[in-house]
Amino acid sequence: MTRATQAPKALRGAGNWIDDRFHLAKTGEKNLRKVFPNHWSFMLGEIALYSFIILLLTGVFLTLWFKPSMAEIVYDGSYERLHGVTMSEAYASTLYIDFDVRGGFLVRQIHHWAALIFAASMLVHMLRVFFTGAFRKPREINWLIGVAIVTLTMLEGLFGYSLPDDLPSGMGVRILQGVMLSLPVVGTYISMFLFGGEFPGEDIIPRLYMLHILLIPGLLLALIAAHFMILWHQKHTQYPGTGHTNKKVVGTPMFPGFAVKAGGFFFFVFAVTVGLSAFVQINPVHLFGPFTPTSITSGLQPDWYMGFMEGALRLFPNYFDINIAGYAIPTGVLVPGLVIPGLIFGAMAVWPFFEAWVTNDKRHHNMADRPRNAPVRTGMGVAGITFYGLLWLAGSNDILSETFSISLYSLSWFFRVAVIAGPILGFIITKRICLGLQRRDRETLEHGYESGHVKQLPSGEFIEVHKESSDDTVHILQSKEEVPRIDVDEAVDANGVESPQARGLMGRLRVRLADWYTRDNVSFEGVEPHTGHHLHHGGDSADRAHHEAAVDTTEPANTH
């Protein structure tokens, strides 16, 4: 090492002092050379991390002036339109942050936008992981941590949205109380405990505040740290390509390449968040006024990540409300408020184990799937997105009705039918598209790609010339793994004895599900990539034997 490339003497001394005590030099050098894949989609998780950092920084700023108190005062602050209005100290302190703290309104906007971006990037990141099969062994625990982070993020957003005690946030808390009251037997006790008495009480804001700034952020910080520690140990999955294998990662070293890229990307995310906060106003609480239990407004929507629950509450009918032994069970609130979200997040958590059980796949997977190569999984993902999206749209059925002059009741019935039929259609269409893409990939692998030229055989037949695919394309096409299959025909041997896999009710169910999961999959087994030019035609063997004598017409392939 030359003198010019050596670290300054003071830094070398500090580094040697630390290394003498903790022996970090070798470990640090190894970790600094850790390789990260270069694909853009891996940065979705980085957006979530950077948004979380922005949330922590801006949240600390806001806590310096926010007063989590429901004690009533008469407002006489800088916002003259609310002078003389009775409101809680929580709402008054929010107005103080907006109008009297230098930069306070901008910071509160940054905090709110960062929360929305954090939730959105987390969901899109999890969709990327789901559709590429990056949740498979050995990464199931990290997937469960991701589901827990998304769930806590929605609760954290709901509680933070409720803290200003303005009219929209108070209505959100009222809906939360209604969902709690729908729980049989214990609902009233839970509500009285949380609110400290009858709604709205005087304790809900201080309690939500402690949950919002202490408990849930602590859990999120711990889960995010665990997520990255596991990721660091297990390494990223990577997309198929030349030189990419289950045992070798191809990409950019942590230092300096990835560190520079990640650092620059943080400032880019921060700049976009600040730009949105400066030019796109969100949650202007001063326009809504303080919450009072007797007030309500129309055309009001929750933050987007809670829209699906709002839609479920609006759509689910009350026909199924029941009364058992004097206890009312309002299923019109219980099912959309708790059961449907529980089914969505429960299905997300269980899917890795369900897929491994159905396919009996116990292999380690460090290569990401192409979504088309797992048609059932991709179809189920699209079905889930369709279900969620339709509920989300239904959460604004009043605005859609007014905007497009459609009957509100007709629109509600449309959504009631669509949330059942839409996911089914989405699954079927997506699966057929994936199978069609698989067949095209097999054709490309076996016969090459269309060159745009045709040749004429001595018989007069015109034949399209297919050319050899690039090495990277061949590697990508050959990356399709054959899914382990449990055949229905093999579940019973020649003597009529069931195999161990098919015994019992669960065994038979597993066999049927395995057949459903793998039945239509296009096999690439035995397909070899062609080399050299290939004449794609349906002619007889004599024509194929004389193709060397063909005449090149140099015309586009779509002319025949």
Side-chain angles (χ1 to χ4, degrees), residues 30-108:
K30 178 182 178 182
N31 287 326
L32 288 175
R33 301 304 298 171
K34 179 180 172 62
V35 172
F36 288 83
N38 290 319
H39 198 273
W40 65 267
S41 65
F42 291 104
M43 302 305 289
L44 293 169
E46 306 293 328
I47 295 175
L49 175 64
Y50 302 151
S51 300
F52 184 70
I53 293 172
I54 295 170
L55 280 169
L56 293 179
L57 295 176
T58 54
V60 170
F61 179 90
L62 295 174
T63 57
L64 300 177
W65 289 280
F66 181 74
K67 295 181 180 180
S69 169
M70 298 186 72
E72 291 188 342
I73 62 171
V74 177
Y75 182 73
D76 61 351
S78 300
Y79 189 59
E80 295 184 359
R81 294 181 63 183
L82 289 177
H83 274 187
V85 176
T86 301
M87 61 183 64
S88 67
E89 285 191 325
Y91 185 61
S93 65
T94 305
L95 295 176
Y96 179 80
I97 292 172
D98 285 354
F99 295 103
D100 296 286
V101 176
R102 187 180 296 273
F105 187 62
L106 177 63
V107 173
R108 193 174 68 80

Side-chain angles (χ1 to χ4, degrees), residues 152-153 155-156 159 210-221:
L152 288 173
T153 297
L155 286 175
E156 175 77 343
F159 295 162
M210 294 308 297
L211 292 172
H212 181 72
I213 71 163
L214 186 61
L215 179 61
I216 298 181
L219 291 174
L220 284 173
L221 195 59

Side-chain angles (χ1 to χ4, degrees), residues 521-542:
N521 229 7
V522 178
S523 177
F524 280 33
E525 190 174 354
V527 177
E528 295 292 338
H530 86 287
T531 56
H533 296 305
H534 177 80
L535 304 181
H536 189 63
H537 57 86
D540 57 25
S541 58

